[in-house]
């Protein structure tokens, strides 16, 4: 695979399936899709999600890589519009083909049109929002626990609580019960429990996107429990003959993902280095 001039060499996956996926991407980049989570993958995890921003090198790296592959997609639990704003993706040179699939794929933003396509909100979300404060109080959610209104979903964050893990565990069962009462599901993450409509996850979103683009190779990078569905989707695509690479944006908080990955990199900076190395390799800059 060689090393890129002025860049890091493309890291070698630790699994044979990962090496096969990477080889397919490098040999036929015009037929490959690169899927990326946002928080923890392109952006550092921060105590206040509203302060999250893409790593400074993310847009430049994507701008070099995206025009040389079939497509790049950001797949996130955030509303698409928020991810676009916090990522700085709108109007970026080289990203006119970028797609952001927000709310686990329920929303779609295309750089070409700059518009978001989204379904009508699920009525269960409004019902859950109304009941949530009382449920949190009843189950002793400690100070620092807070509610994020995502429009078509609602999330409870415990990262700022006095004991984030204990609060997270204490709220799991009551929030599952609340979600179930209103036909929603709970998506757990890193000190966050998100209540949202069923039927869409990152695996469904990624699989549909790979099929829609006709991709013959796929790389997906993520860092959290919500990314396990996308990892499973890549594993299923491999069984169907579509080579793939699973990348974990290194985290000591979510070891399940690291165990499943073909390649573990050091957080968003490592993801940026990987994207830069891939861009150099497929543009002929590799040594």
């Amino acid at each position: 695979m060689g090393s890129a001039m002025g860049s890091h060499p493309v890291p070698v996956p630790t699994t044979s399936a990962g090496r096969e996926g990477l080889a397919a991407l490098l040999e036929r980049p015009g037929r490959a899709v690169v899927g990326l989570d946002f928080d923890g993958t392109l952006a550092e995890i921060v105590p206040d999600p509203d302060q999250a921003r893409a790593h400074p090198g993310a847009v430049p790296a994507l701008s070099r890589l995206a025009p040389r592959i079939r497509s790049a997609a950001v797949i996130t639990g955030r509303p698409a519009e928020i991810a676009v704003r916090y990522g700085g993706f709108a109007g970026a040179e080289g990203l006119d083909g970028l797609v952001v699939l927000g709310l686990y794929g329920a929303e779609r933003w295309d750089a070409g049109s700059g518009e978001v396509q989204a379904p009508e909100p699920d009525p269960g979300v409004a019902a859950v929002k109304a009941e949530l404060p009382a449920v949190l109080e009843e189950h002793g959610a400690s100070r620092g626990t807070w509610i994020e209104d995502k429009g078509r979903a609602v999330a409870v964050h415990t990262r700022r609580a006095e004991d984030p893990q204990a609060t997270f565990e204490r709220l799991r069962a009551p929030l599952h019960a609340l979600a179930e009462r209103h036909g929603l599901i709970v998506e757990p993450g890193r000190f966050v429990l998100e209540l949202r409509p069923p039927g869409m996850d990152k695996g469904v979103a990624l699989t549909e996107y790979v099929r829609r683009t006709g991709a013959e190779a796929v790389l997906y990078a993520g860092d959290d429990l919500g990314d396990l569905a996308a990892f499973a989707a890549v594993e299923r695509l491999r069984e169907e003959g579509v080579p793939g690479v699973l990348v974990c944006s290194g985290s000591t908080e979510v070891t399940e993902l690291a165990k499943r990955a073909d390649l573990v990199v050091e957080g968003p900076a490592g993801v940026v280095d990987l994207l830069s190395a891939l861009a150099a390799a497929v543009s002929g800059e590799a040594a």
Side-chain angles (χ1 to χ4, degrees):
M1 291 162 206
S3 62
M5 292 190 300
S7 177
H8 297 278
V10 178
V12 180
T14 57
T15 64
S16 57
R19 290 191 291 272
E20 184 184 336
L22 180 59
L25 188 157
L26 294 175
E27 286 165 17
R28 300 182 298 279
R31 298 177 185 178
V33 158
V34 170
L36 302 154
D37 169 47
F38 186 73
D39 291 281
T41 301
L42 290 178
E44 292 287 354
I45 295 287
V46 291
D48 180 355
D50 289 338
Q51 300 302 313
R53 296 295 183 270
H55 184 285
V59 167
L62 273 172
S63 294
R64 289 175 61 213
L65 178 62
R68 296 177 168 92
I69 60 176
R70 174 65 56 90
S71 182
V74 175
I75 306 175
T76 173
R78 286 188 185 267
E81 197 173 11
I82 297 290
V84 170
R85 195 186 324 148
Y86 292 178
F89 302 133
E93 187 179 349
L95 294 188
D96 47 347
L98 181 73
V99 168
V100 175
L101 301 174
L103 295 178
Y104 304 92
E107 295 184 341
R108 177 186 168 118
W109 175 88
D110 287 273
S113 68
E115 294 176 359
V116 174
Q117 297 173 327
E120 286 299 309
D122 187 300
V125 175
V128 160
K129 285 177 192 172
E131 293 182 32
L132 199 48
V135 170
L136 293 184
E137 187 176 354
E138 180 188 344
H139 292 277
S142 61
R143 199 175 65 212
T145 302
W146 65 284
I147 299 168
E148 180 188 7
D149 186 344
K150 292 188 168 188
R152 291 175 175 82
V154 60
V156 176
H157 294 262
T158 69
R159 185 174 288 275
R160 293 190 218 151
E162 288 159 10
D163 187 337
Q165 189 63 42
T167 306
F168 178 87
E169 295 300 339
R170 190 160 63 247
L171 292 177
R172 282 183 90 132
L175 292 187
H176 271 281
L178 174 63
E180 198 172 317
R181 264 201 317 277
H182 297 289
L184 304 183
I185 61 168
V186 175
E187 182 83 47
R190 293 160 76 174
F191 300 121
V192 59
L193 293 157
E194 181 168 324
L195 290 74
R196 63 180 180 83
M200 184 57 81
D201 61 32
K202 290 184 179 182
V204 174
L206 181 62
T207 302
E208 288 182 356
Y209 194 69
V210 166
R211 297 204 197 292
R212 190 160 58 238
T213 56
E216 295 175 13
V218 58
L219 178 148
Y220 182 81
D223 76 303
D224 205 348
L225 294 172
D227 297 303
L228 285 170
F231 270 35
V234 171
E235 289 163 351
R236 283 191 298 272
L237 286 164
R238 283 171 170 170
E239 291 170 6
E240 296 171 16
V242 179
V245 188
L246 297 170
V247 179
C248 176
S249 177
S251 165
T252 53
E253 288 179 11
V254 186
T255 55
E256 294 97 320
L257 220 63
K259 289 174 187 169
R260 292 268 290 275
D262 304 306
L263 186 62
V264 179
V265 298
E266 285 302 315
V271 172
V272 167
D273 285 345
L274 173 62
L275 296 175
S276 298
L278 290 172
V282 301
S283 65
E285 295 169 27

